[in-house]
Amino acid sequence: MIGKLIRGLFAGGGDAAPAKPASKEMPAVNHEGFVIVPEPRQINGQWQVAGRIEKPAGDETKTHIFIRADTLSSADEAASHMVRKAQMMIDQQGDGIFE
């Protein structure tokens, strides 16, 4: 019993269904030189706010994986929410996102 509890803490939920990405690709959004790529994930019938924040840096692209605990009823709502949160994060932290 304790082993199952410990596995659940470190395995991200134990018996919960694994996250599945949205079946349709969401459009990327440009903001202040950053590219915001919403990638909502379906978890137990809800959509988790998730995606990437990217910024070109010379020959490579810096990437920040963006996953929040927020869940919403549709993939479009989760994608819109992700874009708003990512824009706010970019405005507040700028390139500090990648540190």
Side-chain angles (χ1 to χ4, degrees), residues 45-67:
Q46 294 286 310
W47 290 91
Q48 182 177 27
V49 175
R52 298 185 318 269
I53 301 172
E54 299 179 340
K55 185 172 183 183
D59 293 340
E60 55 185 54
T61 300
K62 294 180 181 182
T63 302
H64 174 79
I65 303 298
F66 188 102
I67 301 172

Side-chain angles (χ1 to χ4, degrees), residues 77-91:
E77 286 178 310
S80 295
H81 194 66
M82 184 274 173
V83 170
R84 283 192 305 275
K85 285 193 164 215
Q87 288 171 333
M88 188 170 35
M89 190 174 178
I90 290 165
D91 292 342

Side-chain angles (χ1 to χ4, degrees), residues 2-63:
I2 292 176
K4 184 176 181 179
L5 176 65
I6 291 172
R7 277 192 307 276
L9 289 172
F10 293 104
D15 296 333
K20 294 187 290 186
S23 60
K24 67 176 186 174
E25 188 171 318
M26 304 290 176
V29 175
N30 292 308
H31 182 72
E32 303 291 328
F34 294 80
V35 178
I36 301 168
V37 183
E39 297 173 323
R41 300 193 281 175
Q42 193 171 32
I43 299 177
N44 299 326
Q46 294 286 310
W47 290 91
Q48 182 177 27
V49 175
R52 298 185 318 269
I53 301 172
E54 299 179 340
K55 185 172 183 183
D59 293 340
E60 55 185 54
T61 300
K62 294 180 181 182
T63 302

